Amino acid sequence: MIERLTRLTRLTRRKGRADAGSAFDRRLLAPMMLGSVLNPVNSSIISVSLVPIGAAFGAPPSQTAWLVSALYLATSIGQPVMGRLIDLYGPRRLFLAGAALTGIAGLIGLLAPNLGTLIVARVVLGFGTCAGYPAAMYLIRGEARRTGQESPAGILATLAVASQTIAVVGPPLGGLLIGLGGWRSTFAVNIPLAAAGLILGVRRLPKERPLAERTGERVRLDLIGMGLFAAMLVSLLLFLMEPRADRWYLPVLMAVAAAGFAVRELRAAEPFIDLRVFGGNLPLLLTYARALLVSVVSYVFLYGYTQWLQDGRGLTASQAGLAQLPLFLTGIAVSTATGRRAAVRGKLVVGAVGQIVGCALLLPLQPHSAIWLLVVVGLVFGVPQGLMNLALQNAVYHQADPERMGSSAGLLRTFFYLGAIVASSANGAFFGARADTGGLHGLAWFMLAITGLCLALTLVDRSLGRIGSDDPSSAQQPTQRKAS
């Protein structure tokens, strides 16, 4: 009897060790979630700060819009660059560098004497918050290889819910901080967040040897490709911020940089972005296109609608933040309820329809619209907010080349921020000196056209049906394959 009990104990211990080895390392969750939410919280918290900052420095919406654009300009460039560096050198050192920059940006914003310095703070903040998301996706892919669980839908859902939560909590949190300590507190909040990131990164992120040491092959960083990519995006985004005929030279510069980038990447032995792989992966390209369209609508609503609540509806910054709570509650509930399902097609279709309904609800809004109608608008927009970002994240995870997961995840965020830049430009175009109701209605028609195109792209893309299907081979393996 004693011998049998001893054998049973040994078997139980072995099984426990095996189960532990096949389970996702939960110690990674805290730094992954913190790193991935730094950018969303700073993207959303500024939405209720724009009006108070404009009042403090005597700046109209067309100038304060640079606070939004500066972050996305830096992040659009920095995300895929950081992602590629993470692919080559591992996530730890890039994560720590990003956290340090985030803290520095918070300090600059806290002490900024003018709007120009605040814009500099947002640029530094954009580069500082670049590393978190691609580092998280890299770690998820690494854990998937280690555990043999190639479709960790639960972990991806946790990451998406964390980003979704903080992005929508941003406006009410910003309103609370402004009420307690003024608009500067929305910058200062990055200082403790950065400190937490540094502590978690040092204590929990694994030390990983660079790719060159692991493979024994020399890895060259494609600095020329990165420079051409940056020049292309800077020219494009500067034009989108103020699209005027007298700025014709910016699209020309963008086209020249794009041509040079394409030639460079097709000829480089170790390209920054392997265009041969992306060119042979139409599903991934369509996912990036949908990310652009989804983010245009999301950010037009986040910034434009929030500014209208203050200028057009007459709410305070704190009240405008609280008016976004229905969006927060619905988004979190939907993400939590659907997050463990890897399938993406249905989420994208329902999300696009939800955006269409939400945009239509903006059309009857007036300066004295009832609060209950504002609540309904937030509830409706919360449904696509909870579905579409999660679906796009899952799509990239399954469609991207596993060896370039960091840069592919970074490019997803780049397309999100390109959409944010377009949204910022649209808000500036439809709102004049103030965010009035006529401008809001113009934005609603603009958003309806964008989300209709997104729905059409989703309906014609049959490859989405293979993600999360019952076929184990399609669910467990990424659809992306390296080009021969």
Side-chain angles (χ1 to χ4, degrees):
M1 177 65 71
I2 295 176
E3 184 178 353
R4 289 180 179 177
L5 288 174
T6 302
R7 289 179 181 177
L8 180 61
T9 301
R10 289 175 180 173
L11 288 173
T12 302
R13 287 176 178 173
R14 289 175 184 173
K15 185 178 184 301
R17 286 194 294 269
D19 290 341
S22 63
F24 189 92
D25 187 352
R26 299 282 171 172
R27 294 175 302 173
L28 300 176
L29 283 176
M32 282 170 50
M33 288 190 292
L34 177 60
S36 64
V37 303
L38 285 176
N39 197 279
V41 71
N42 282 286
S43 299
S44 59
I45 203 171
I46 195 70
S47 64
V48 294
S49 305
L50 294 176
V51 172
I53 290 173
F57 295 117
S62 59
Q63 292 182 14
T64 57
W66 279 92
L67 293 170
V68 178
S69 302
L71 178 77
Y72 294 131
L73 179 60
T75 309
S76 298
I77 297 168
Q79 282 278 358
V81 172
M82 283 288 194
R84 184 58 182 152
L85 292 175
I86 288 168
D87 288 333
L88 296 177
Y89 300 105
R92 180 186 171 93
R93 63 190 72 186
L94 277 306
F95 182 94
L96 294 175
L101 282 177
T102 299
I104 292 171
L107 186 60
I108 295 173
L110 179 63
L111 303 175
N114 51 50
L115 184 62
T117 307
L118 277 184
I119 293 173
V120 171
R122 294 283 288 180
V123 170
V124 176
L125 189 61
F127 284 114
T129 57
C130 280
Y133 180 71
M137 293 293 280
Y138 180 96
L139 289 167
I140 291 173
R141 171 55 66 184
E143 286 294 285
R145 285 196 298 264
R146 183 182 67 83
T147 63
Q149 299 176 10
E150 287 295 328
S151 183
I155 301 300
L156 287 169
T158 300
L159 189 66
V161 169
S163 297
Q164 165 71 19
T165 301
I166 201 67
V168 189
V169 165
L173 174 62
L176 176 62
L177 290 174
I178 291 171
L180 294 175
W183 59 263
R184 291 185 185 275
S185 60
T186 62
F187 285 84
V189 72
N190 286 291
I191 299 174
L193 289 176
L198 289 170
I199 294 171
L200 287 172
V202 169
R203 297 186 61 179
R204 297 194 179 185
L205 292 184
K207 295 181 179 180
E208 187 170 320
R209 293 184 300 163
L211 181 63
E213 294 182 11
R214 299 197 304 269
T215 62
E217 300 177 359
R218 183 180 178 184
V219 175
R220 297 179 179 178
L221 200 59
D222 184 14
L223 295 177
I224 295 177
M226 291 180 180
L228 289 169
F229 179 79
M232 177 180 67
L233 279 187
V234 168
S235 301
L236 173 63
L237 297 179
L238 287 177
F239 179 74
L240 290 176
M241 289 174 195
E242 295 184 48
R244 301 195 311 265
D246 61 349
R247 294 162 63 88
W248 58 268
Y249 56 91
L250 289 173
V252 173
L253 289 175
M254 185 271 294
V256 172
F261 176 72
V263 172
R264 168 68 185 180
E265 300 307 279
L266 290 173
R267 292 181 177 179
E270 298 175 9
F272 163 48
I273 296 176
D274 195 339
L275 297 181
R276 290 161 294 192
V277 172
F278 281 106
N281 191 352
L282 181 59
L284 182 60
L285 295 179
L286 288 175
T287 293
Y288 287 149
R290 278 187 292 270
L292 173 66
L293 299 173
V294 167
S295 65
V296 169
V297 176
S298 297
Y299 284 106
V300 165
F301 178 76
L302 178 63
Y303 295 118
Y305 179 66
T306 304
Q307 289 185 75
W308 175 82
L309 287 175
Q310 296 173 75
D311 279 351
R313 182 58 178 77
L315 302 183
T316 66
S318 299
Q319 291 170 337
L322 290 174
Q324 296 282 25
L325 276 178
L327 177 72
F328 157 67
L329 296 173
T330 307
I332 297 307
V334 171
S335 294
T336 303
T338 64
R340 292 188 174 274
R341 293 181 57 86
V344 302
R345 183 183 179 88
K347 294 176 184 176
L348 290 172
V349 171
V350 174
V353 172
Q355 283 191 334
I356 290 173
V357 174
C359 294
L361 286 175
L362 296 179
L363 294 173
L365 290 181
Q366 296 297 329
H368 302 290
S369 291
I371 294 297
W372 68 264
L373 184 55
L374 306 182
V375 172
V376 170
V377 169
L379 289 172
V380 172
F381 267 101
V383 175
Q385 191 79 10
L387 288 173
M388 302 187 83
N389 290 348
L390 177 58
L392 292 166
Q393 178 179 279
N394 274 277
V396 168
Y397 180 85
H398 287 277
Q399 293 167 340
D401 176 5
E403 297 303 319
R404 288 180 172 264
M405 182 55 66
S407 53
S408 297
L411 275 175
L412 175 65
R413 285 291 179 94
T414 293
F415 278 92
F416 274 130
Y417 300 137
L418 283 173
I421 293 291
V422 174
S424 179
S425 179
N427 287 337
F430 284 95
F431 289 147
R434 59 190 301 273
D436 57 17
T437 302
L440 179 69
H441 292 165
L443 284 172
W445 286 111
F446 172 74
M447 288 190 287
L448 280 169
I450 296 295
T451 195
L453 179 58
C454 180
L455 178 59
L457 281 181
T458 302
L459 293 176
V460 301
D461 187 359
R462 295 184 178 181
S463 68
L464 294 173
R466 295 195 294 269
I467 300 177
S469 67
D470 293 332
D471 181 4
S473 62
S474 66
Q476 298 297 320
Q477 297 293 333
T479 60
Q480 159 71 15
R481 293 293 182 266
K482 287 187 176 182
S484 58

